[in-house]
Amino acid sequence: HLLDLAQLAPGVHSGAGAQTGNTNPLYWRPQQNSALSVGGARPNANHFILDGSINTDPTFNTLSFSPSPDAVREFKVQTGSYSAEFGGAGGAQINIVTKSGSNRLRGDVYEFIRNSALDARSLNDPSDIPHLAQNQFGASLGGPIRSNKTFFFANYEGFRLNNGLAQVKTVPTAMERMGDFSESGKTIYDPASATPNPNFDPTQPVSPSNPKVIRDPFTDNKIPESMLNPVALQVLGVLPLPNLAPGSDPMGMGSGSGPASNNYLDLRTNHNSSNQGTVRIDHNFRAGDTLFVRYSIGHEEDFTPQNLPGFGAFDDNLAQNLTASYTHILSPVSVNTFWFGMSRLSMHRFSENNF
């Protein structure tokens, strides 16, 4: 029962599958897919630890800094009853330990590439292969600063992804924008004509056959021009017109029904870019004591197409983690370990054309 066409703008919707494949269901970090369920618990019921320090985002209870695989020496996932050194969540304790240098200088350089120039067209894609350019690259180096005493390890990884997203959506037709719903398959009623239904049965649920209020339909299913809201018309003027045959949905991605649904194919490009680095220094003391300091930083920048053109989302996130640990041998059967850790996650999300 729409009169004010401004109400049509919020009704513009995207079909199933309109979300990008790498969107995290927990929160706004498209590149941080830490939504894993352990032992039947919810994805945000896990506790992440990096070199013994907390690496859990306290806002969403998910992974804060995700180190490059080339910077990881080992990891352990523990469930059930934990010892006193763990806690903070009822799901799993996920402990990651980073690499350290050794007496030999070792390093590697790598790149992983995917590109639409190498892809085949899938069955439900448009005639053109969607644009895809993905690069994941990095390098690591570790070795001695002082033989048998002091060692270093450094790692860098970059990630770039630009991929075309095809989304089928529903937008108002040119006729509907002018109040003409004669081809929409829905009856449009005049709200000014609303009157109580004298035959309403209060003992039964409100339904099309038992309405509480009755209204008169507009003649020929057209809203008079004098009743159209000028603000609504201005809003609708910036929305794209249909570019698909009504109800066609060639990709099977829509969710609407009716002759005026699934009439717009939205083709835009998703952008993901990130850089991260880790530096670690280890030192062995003469009496067998050990010390290490590690600092990690990761920066993510993303653009995710959402809704209609002009309504995407930008993300700008910075994660940092600092850990220092000193292990002192007290006796042949006991040691003491001191840990200092600091974790910071700065997240910024804003809409396209927000300012």
Side-chain angles (χ1 to χ4, degrees):
H1 302 265
L2 296 178
L3 170 65
D4 194 345
L5 285 182
Q7 299 178 46
L8 279 176
V12 175
H13 64 276
S14 58
Q19 296 296 325
T20 58
N22 59 346
T23 297
N24 190 309
L26 290 175
Y27 64 143
W28 313 312
R29 294 178 70 184
Q31 298 186 54
Q32 191 57 270
N33 294 320
S34 60
L36 66 155
S37 175
V38 180
R42 291 187 175 186
N44 59 353
N46 304 308
H47 191 61
F48 297 90
I49 306 170
L50 184 61
D51 287 327
S53 295
I54 293 176
N55 188 31
T56 306
D57 166 26
T59 304
F60 298 93
N61 219 45
T62 53
L63 182 63
S64 178
F65 174 79
S66 179
S68 165
D70 267 37
V72 174
R73 185 175 71 191
E74 61 177 310
F75 72 92
K76 179 185 288 186
V77 179
Q78 295 176 257
T79 61
S81 299
Y82 318 117
S83 60
E85 61 188 305
F86 298 112
Q93 308 295 321
I94 303 171
N95 194 1
I96 301 173
V97 179
T98 58
K99 288 182 179 179
S100 59
S102 65
N103 278 329
R104 290 185 57 188
L105 189 65
R106 296 179 177 179
D108 63 0
V109 178
Y110 58 91
E111 177 169 0
F112 171 79
I113 182 173
R114 290 183 61 198
N115 197 288
S116 53
L118 308 174
D119 289 347
R121 183 174 65 87
S122 61
L123 209 56
N124 63 344
D125 277 337
S127 56
D128 294 332
I129 298 175
H131 171 67
L132 172 64
Q134 177 177 334
N135 296 81
Q136 190 167 0
F137 51 91
S140 61
L141 182 66
I145 298 176
R146 184 181 176 188
S147 183
N148 296 321
K149 287 290 185 180
T150 310
F151 313 95
F152 79 94
F153 176 82
N155 167 262
Y156 164 78
E157 181 169 293
F159 179 76
R160 307 290 185 270
L161 172 63
N162 296 284
N163 61 308
L165 296 180
Q167 306 175 57
V168 175
K169 303 171 180 178
T170 298
V171 296
T173 65
M175 295 175 61
E176 289 173 344
R177 295 166 198 240
M178 298 308 299
D180 186 348
F181 290 84
S182 58
E183 296 181 359
S184 66
K186 300 292 182 181
T187 302
I188 306 300
Y189 296 86
D190 184 358
S193 65
T195 57
N197 181 12
N199 300 318
F200 174 67
D201 184 358
T203 64
Q204 300 295 322
V206 176
S207 65
S209 60
N210 185 41
K212 195 172 185 178
V213 175
I214 56 176
R215 303 175 180 87
D216 298 328
F218 283 109
T219 303
D220 299 327
N221 222 25
K222 297 179 182 179
I223 302 174
E225 184 176 353
S226 60
M227 300 180 68
L228 299 179
N229 188 301
V231 177
L233 294 176
Q234 186 175 0
V235 172
L236 291 171
V238 301
L239 299 181
L241 289 167
N243 58 9
L244 293 176
S248 58
D249 191 7
M251 301 175 63
M253 297 173 61
S255 62
S257 61
S261 66
N262 300 330
N263 58 7
Y264 181 72
L265 178 60
D266 181 14
L267 297 174
R268 282 183 287 169
T269 301
N270 175 78
H271 301 280
N272 300 120
S273 174
S274 65
N275 296 282
Q276 67 158 274
T278 292
V279 177
R280 173 169 170 156
I281 302 294
D282 289 79
H283 181 74
N284 297 328
F285 293 95
R286 181 173 300 177
D289 293 1
T290 60
L291 168 71
F292 82 83
V293 179
R294 180 207 33 85
Y295 174 71
S296 302
I297 183 171
H299 184 215
E300 308 163 1
E301 292 183 296
D302 309 289
F303 170 72
T304 305
Q306 294 179 342
N307 269 318
L308 294 168
F311 295 93
F314 286 97
D315 297 274
D316 188 354
N317 307 317
L318 181 67
Q320 301 177 77
N321 189 284
L322 171 67
T323 302
S325 176
Y326 178 76
T327 300
H328 174 60
I329 298 178
L330 298 175
S331 72
V333 294
S334 61
V335 297
N336 180 73
T337 299
F338 169 80
W339 254 295
F340 172 82
M342 185 171 65
S343 177
R344 183 175 190 268
L345 176 61
S346 173
M347 298 175 61
H348 301 274
R349 181 179 176 88
F350 53 95
S351 301
E352 187 178 5
N353 299 324
N354 190 71
F355 304 107

